[in-house]
Amino acid sequence: MSDGMGERVSDAIVPGWEVVIGLEVHAELATATKLFSTARNEFGGDPNTNVDPVSLGLPGSLPVLNEKAVELAIRVGLALDCEIGRSVFARKNYFYPDMPKDFQISQYELPINGRGHLELPDGRTVGIERAHLEEDTGKSTHVGGGGRIHEAGHSLVDYNRAGVPLIEIVGAPDLRGPEDARAYVAELRAILVAIGASDGKMEEGSMRVDCNVSVRREGAAEFGTRCEIKNINSLRSLGRAIEYEARRQVDLIEAGEAVQQQTRHWNEDEGRTHTLRSKEEAYDYRYFPEPDLVPVDPSDEWIDEIRATLPALPRERRHRLAEAAGVDTAAAALTVERGMDDLAVDAIAAGADAARVLVHVDNNLADGAGRLTADAFAALVAMEVGGDLTATQAKTVLADLVASGGDPAAHAATHGFEAMDTGELESLVDRLIADHPDDWAGFVGGDDKERKKKSGFFVGQVMKATQGQADGRIVNELLERRAAGG
Ligand code: ADP
Ligand code: MG
């Protein structure tokens, strides 16, 4: 999420136009059993092995609410700073072959979680309108004709997913481009995983995104008419779908036509959206309160108990590291995303230079910290900053510490890394300047590009002469000093 957050990318799509995006994210809750029955909630089983009378919608079966699902929904509400309150289940009536009851039990007027918000890595907040509980549907497979229902010879249905608990998180239309949308989904996923509410796996369908997109001329006060895009399965598709859809809407308006409110389908292979249904064809779900379930009214004590078990959230961890390191939250995001922030904060607390710590964590600890401790990390950085180790040597010692732990000074000694005597280095630099007068003239009198090139040349010569023992930073300082007449 460090890639360009904070920029308003909407400009890049169509100049003069602003894209407005609001996302509806469905996440499967990580319960052992389904929302209203004891059938297992498990991905990847043989078809129709995790079923029971309730998830098959058999006549006479009755739903019994899964307390764990309610707890996980409350965890989501707490993590998103939502107003949590009394909620009522409702029947949402529509026909679909993978939904045997012909209605879905959802929440409508009274969701378990009301308004809240989410903070992006760059510190901007996005409103949450609601986050309610509902059951998932089963899954149809259309056989033949490329998997589309209208070309299929026959269809198969698997009810393993029917009745799996979902949380639907409805975001406010606060996002302004593909980068915003991707950052929002990535943050939401990180939160859901951190609090143990969901595994957040988009590729297994346990996190699914419906994307509402509209466009308006820059500076316009009113939102434009939106289209809702379904079937987005990855962060990459999300960005592509938004770009395509925004261009399509701008083209329509610029051609003098109006955007029709529609539900559209994203076709990943074709790279375009197409109409599923228009507003006129929208379902009338005829919601009414589910008569087989009582309202859910969690007590303040229970909510407090759940709150006490929440881990530090990505947002809090970014703020903690940002404060310790003296950087902004966006600069702390990658370290937190990779789960290295505790190490970084502890190393900084042990006295390490914060900038060097972040550089090492983000660039030189790609495979994790291994046996590196915060104290050894701090000692290593101190040696590097104090000039006892060059950046290259520090990297080598860091790899040793990751592999086998121990003390950085001992590893440095094993490699024969010794700080070069500054006096020695100075006379070497002076000798090189005398031996290469043309290069030196280029360094002293050249433009920025030339100067950079020549500094590279001299540092290279020094490294060659010292077998890499010298510190490039100090060589550069010496060159600058000599060029200034010092
Ligand atoms: P519905 O109940 O028909 O789904 P909502 O008002 O609840 O409509 O909005 C659903 C989603 O659409 C929300 O995520 C919201 O942020 C988004 N949305 C609403 N208006 C717009 C708009 N003009 N442009 C983009 N997204 C929008
Ligand atoms: Mg909706």
Side-chain angles (χ1 to χ4, degrees):
M1 232 175 316
S2 58
D3 52 338
M5 264 313 303
E7 276 170 57
R8 295 283 164 141
V9 187
S10 62
D11 290 7
I13 297 181
V14 190
W17 291 82
E18 185 175 51
V19 186
V20 173
I21 301 153
L23 300 182
E24 296 166 84
V25 174
H26 288 85
E28 289 182 352
L29 294 172
T31 54
T33 56
K34 293 189 178 179
L35 183 53
F36 300 117
S37 73
T38 54
R40 273 176 302 143
N41 167 16
E42 203 176 76
F43 179 81
D46 284 336
N48 298 306
T49 51
N50 295 334
V51 292
D52 67 331
V54 173
S55 42
L56 291 174
L58 298 185
S61 64
L62 287 171
V64 177
L65 181 59
N66 181 342
E67 181 178 343
K68 184 71 185 176
V70 178
E71 184 202 316
L72 293 181
I74 292 173
R75 288 176 86 77
V76 175
L78 288 168
L80 297 175
D81 291 323
C82 292
E83 296 159 15
I84 301 169
R86 179 175 178 275
S87 62
V88 170
F89 284 101
R91 284 192 187 179
K92 183 178 181 179
N93 297 281
Y94 60 107
F95 168 76
Y96 221 75
D98 55 22
M99 201 180 56
K101 299 195 296 289
D102 281 355
F103 61 83
Q104 180 186 20
I105 302 179
S106 181
Q107 297 186 318
Y108 187 51
E109 279 162 348
L110 287 176
I112 183 159
N113 300 306
R115 283 186 187 287
H117 62 266
L118 170 150
E119 188 176 306
L120 296 176
D122 66 5
R124 280 183 293 144
T125 59
V126 180
I128 302 292
E129 296 183 346
R130 54 192 277 150
H132 64 258
L133 270 168
E134 62 185 27
E135 57 179 342
D136 209 343
T137 61
K139 207 171 172 175
S140 309
T141 306
H142 307 298
V143 182
R148 309 270 281 273
I149 189 167
H150 52 278
E151 294 157 350
H154 62 280
S155 295
L156 301 169
V157 63
D158 174 10
Y159 292 112
N160 282 352
R161 205 179 64 181
V164 163
L166 290 177
I167 187 105
E168 177 175 347
I169 301 153
V170 181
D174 290 346
L175 306 165
R176 293 294 177 268
E179 280 305 324
D180 274 13
R182 280 199 293 250
Y184 170 83
V185 174
E187 182 65 17
L188 197 50
R189 181 169 57 190
I191 292 169
L192 294 174
V193 172
I195 64 176
S198 176
D199 66 20
K201 289 182 183 162
M202 281 185 96
E203 66 281 10
E204 290 183 4
S206 57
M207 191 166 162
R208 310 193 287 268
V209 180
D210 296 337
C211 177
N212 297 272
V213 177
S214 65
V215 297
R216 60 178 171 183
R217 289 189 197 275
E218 243 163 40
E222 304 278 314
F223 284 152
T225 303
R226 76 188 146 104
C227 287
E228 178 174 352
I229 310 168
K230 302 261 185 202
N231 189 45
I232 294 171
N233 301 324
S234 68
L235 290 184
R236 185 169 171 268
S237 305
L238 178 62
R240 290 181 72 203
I242 290 169
E243 285 199 27
Y244 174 85
E245 183 60 20
R247 284 217 178 85
R248 187 189 71 87
Q249 293 184 12
V250 169
D251 286 348
L252 271 176
I253 299 169
E254 288 190 332
E257 293 173 51
V259 175
Q260 306 293 327
Q261 190 173 333
Q262 284 173 341
T263 302
R264 299 179 67 86
H265 176 95
W266 169 248
N267 186 317
E268 179 68 33
D269 297 330
E270 295 172 10
R272 58 183 296 257
T273 63
H274 57 81
T275 315
L276 270 184
R277 52 183 180 268
S278 66
K279 196 182 181 186
E280 291 70 42
E281 299 160 294
Y283 298 124
D284 176 357
Y285 294 116
R286 295 174 188 273
Y287 281 100
F288 63 86
E290 166 58 60
D292 292 334
L293 290 164
V294 295
V296 184
D297 200 358
S299 68
D300 291 345
E301 290 75 37
W302 191 31
I303 294 173
D304 287 342
E305 253 171 57
I306 296 172
R307 192 194 322 268
T309 66
L310 285 183
L313 298 172
R315 162 191 74 200
E316 291 156 11
R317 292 166 54 184
R318 284 194 299 269
H319 280 282
R320 188 174 68 120
L321 176 58
E323 196 166 313
V327 296
D328 60 26
T329 50
L334 182 62
T335 306
V336 170
E337 209 177 294
R338 296 185 46 223
M340 308 282 268
D341 46 315
D342 278 344
L343 175 70
V345 168
D346 291 348
I348 293 166
D353 177 77
R356 285 314 297 165
V357 166
L358 291 188
V359 165
H360 282 307
V361 168
D362 291 349
N363 301 318
N364 302 329
L365 294 173
D367 300 322
R371 302 183 61 185
L372 173 69
T373 64
D375 285 337
F377 195 7
L380 169 81
V381 171
M383 289 173 72
E384 186 186 1
V385 172
D388 296 334
L389 290 174
T390 66
T392 314
Q393 290 169 340
K395 219 170 130 174
T396 304
V397 173
L398 189 59
D400 292 342
L401 294 171
V402 169
S404 51
D407 168 46
H411 287 293
T414 313
H415 289 288
F417 293 157
E418 276 167 52
M420 275 208 62
D421 182 76
T422 316
E424 229 175 282
L425 198 55
E426 274 187 65
S427 41
L428 173 59
V429 167
D430 289 339
R431 203 163 65 236
L432 287 167
I433 289 174
D435 288 350
H436 302 276
D438 292 346
D439 296 296
W440 181 242
F443 180 84
V444 175
D447 56 13
D448 278 359
K449 207 173 137 207
E450 179 70 4
R451 197 178 179 88
K452 219 166 170 183
K453 207 171 116 196
K454 292 304 173 192
S455 92
F457 167 79
F458 282 109
V459 171
Q461 291 293 318
V462 171
M463 290 304 176
K464 213 162 111 192
T466 61
Q467 274 109 43
Q469 297 266 345
D471 186 335
R473 209 165 31 105
I474 294 175
V475 176
N476 262 314
E477 280 170 18
L478 280 173
L479 291 170
E480 293 292 344
R481 213 191 308 150
R482 290 291 187 269

